[in-house]
Amino acid sequence: MDIDLTPKLAKQVYGGDGGSYHAWCPNELPMLKQGNIGAAKLALTKNGFALPRYSDSAKVAYVLQGSGVAGIVLPEKDEKVVAIKKGDSIALPFGVVTWWYNKEDPELVILFLGDTKTAHKAGSFTDMYLTGSNGIFTGFSTEFVSRAWDVEESVAKTLVSSQTAKGIVKLDAGFQMPEPKQANRDGMVLNCEEAPLDVDIKGGGRVVVLNTKNLPLVGEVGTGADLVRLNASAMCSPGFSCDSALQVTYIVRGSGRVQVVGPDGKRILETHLKPGNLFIVPRFCVVSKIADPDGMDWFSIITTPNPKFTNLAGKVSPWKSLSPQVLQASFKVAPEVQKHFSSKRSAEEVFFPPPN
């Protein structure tokens, strides 16, 4: 495979006193364009406010750091004001209008991953702003705006031109934003750090899977997601998506090593991962990771709402189902070698603790 899979860091696109917006460029990470995947981060300082916007792509948002407030308006629905905090995942279907506010934390950081098959540009998100210097209504004449909103032309001009910032502003400390309601989190937000674990291997790692069962809006987004926390020096089993999905992985915390092998049996990626790295595993490629002594956490989306994986090691791997004769013939080994192989990894699945 000729395409470069090297993990990359996001680069700032714009910013100011209120915060900054960062994105991964498909020219630097070609799998974004090839896989129709977008990836970006929003970082808001205290009192930072990301102006209302809609996007050309459905996304999954994941709060990497801090806490704050989000406003979410689904098409033809009322606004839901939601408290958000570290570990929260939010499914944002196509056509949703959102705003984001950091009320009191030093920094609120939100990761966005999603499918760009509907996007203006493959491999990139394009946000359309309702207000600001690049707001949609700056392109309409005052006559059109005044008639659309049923206000005098002088009022229309004031509404469109008063906000001169682009995308992100810093509000005055005393400005009162709408208060979130706890009930609004139901069905909108899932905290991956507090949700019931889908996998919990002692000494190995833990997984929370985001799917249509625990967050139904994922079905409208079209992607599943998971938060994986790999223990110190533990290994994640070699495996692949058996429903031809892409895996888009962001390293949240810690560090470690990764190897990816292509369909022809050749290693196409071997590198060291660190926080902030984003990389994409192509369809049908097999990936495995080993954490450093500080462990490693990552958040991934998978380009199907209910992903399925096949692990090629551990008690749930195909090796445990194949008959001894098939294993002997396939590996071309003696029965005693096959028996030794089959006796290993009989209890562990997915994650393997470090050797004693």
Side-chain angles (χ1 to χ4, degrees):
M1 182 174 287
D2 295 331
I3 197 165
D4 182 13
L5 301 178
T6 306
K8 297 291 192 301
L9 300 172
K11 291 187 176 180
Q12 182 171 319
V13 179
Y14 63 86
D17 290 342
S20 54
Y21 181 83
H22 307 250
W24 283 265
C25 176
N27 291 333
E28 296 183 357
L29 194 57
M31 274 302 300
L32 289 173
K33 186 173 184 179
Q34 181 168 315
N36 254 325
I37 298 295
K41 285 197 297 187
L42 175 67
L44 297 176
T45 59
K46 186 177 179 180
N47 297 315
F49 174 49
L51 298 174
R53 67 200 65 195
Y54 61 97
S55 178
D56 60 359
S57 304
K59 308 171 185 175
V60 173
Y62 180 74
V63 181
L64 295 168
Q65 177 183 334
S67 62
V69 180
I72 302 170
V73 182
L74 296 169
E76 301 183 359
K77 301 289 185 180
D78 292 334
E79 176 189 58
K80 288 195 173 184
V81 181
V82 180
I84 57 174
K85 61 182 180 179
K86 181 177 178 292
D88 278 351
S89 289
I90 310 166
L92 302 173
F94 186 70
V96 68
V97 172
T98 61
W99 55 261
W100 310 86
Y101 176 57
N102 180 2
K103 182 178 180 180
E104 54 192 8
D105 261 327
E107 191 170 42
L108 169 65
V109 184
I110 305 161
L111 173 71
F112 299 96
L113 301 174
D115 192 329
T116 63
K117 62 177 179 292
T118 61
H120 183 60
K121 299 177 182 177
S124 298
F125 298 137
T126 299
D127 289 337
M128 280 65 72
Y129 301 89
L130 300 188
T131 66
S133 62
N134 59 339
I136 290 296
F137 284 93
T138 61
F140 284 103
S141 67
T142 302
E143 176 196 0
F144 271 60
V145 175
S146 66
R147 289 191 62 179
W149 291 347
D150 192 24
V151 297
E152 297 177 357
E153 289 198 4
S154 60
V155 175
K157 189 173 182 179
T158 298
L159 288 169
V160 171
S161 63
S162 294
Q163 181 57 267
T164 58
K166 174 185 176 182
I168 300 172
V169 300
K170 188 165 188 175
L171 302 180
D172 293 336
F175 191 86
Q176 292 296 315
M177 290 291 282
E179 289 295 324
K181 296 180 179 179
Q182 181 63 29
N184 286 344
R185 286 178 61 91
D186 297 340
M188 298 291 295
V189 182
L190 178 75
N191 189 280
C192 293
E193 295 186 356
E194 299 174 355
L197 297 170
D198 293 280
V199 177
D200 186 7
I201 307 298
K202 185 178 180 180
R206 294 150 290 164
V207 182
V208 169
V209 178
L210 192 69
N211 54 36
T212 55
K213 293 181 181 179
N214 52 22
L215 195 61
L217 278 176
V218 165
E220 295 185 38
V221 173
T223 58
D226 58 25
L227 175 67
V228 179
R229 288 172 280 184
L230 194 60
N231 285 18
S233 304
M235 181 182 194
C236 182
S237 168
F240 67 96
S241 170
C242 55
D243 46 13
S244 78
L246 293 168
Q247 300 175 58
V248 186
T249 298
Y250 176 88
I251 305 302
V252 175
R253 187 203 64 83
S255 58
R257 294 176 288 148
V258 62
Q259 292 185 357
V260 179
V261 175
D264 58 358
K266 295 182 180 179
R267 192 181 310 152
I268 55 177
L269 178 67
E270 181 174 15
T271 192
H272 189 261
L273 300 168
K274 60 182 181 180
N277 278 158
L278 183 89
F279 72 100
I280 301 173
V281 179
R283 291 179 175 89
F284 305 114
C285 293
V286 178
V287 59
S288 182
K289 308 177 189 75
I290 297 178
D292 285 342
D294 56 345
M296 183 165 61
D297 300 351
W298 63 86
F299 183 81
S300 297
I301 66 164
I302 304 93
T303 56
T304 180
N306 294 296
K308 298 178 181 178
F309 290 94
T310 294
N311 292 294
L312 298 179
K315 71 176 185 180
V316 295
S317 72
W319 304 120
K320 301 303 181 185
S321 299
L322 292 170
S323 60
Q325 297 92 331
V326 170
L327 293 176
Q328 293 167 30
S330 299
F331 284 122
K332 197 179 178 181
V333 295
E336 57 268 23
V337 176
Q338 173 267 313
K339 290 180 181 178
H340 178 73
F341 169 71
S342 297
S343 69
K344 298 296 182 179
R345 299 287 185 219
S346 58
E348 307 99 330
E349 57 178 308
V350 185
F351 303 125
F352 310 135
N356 293 327

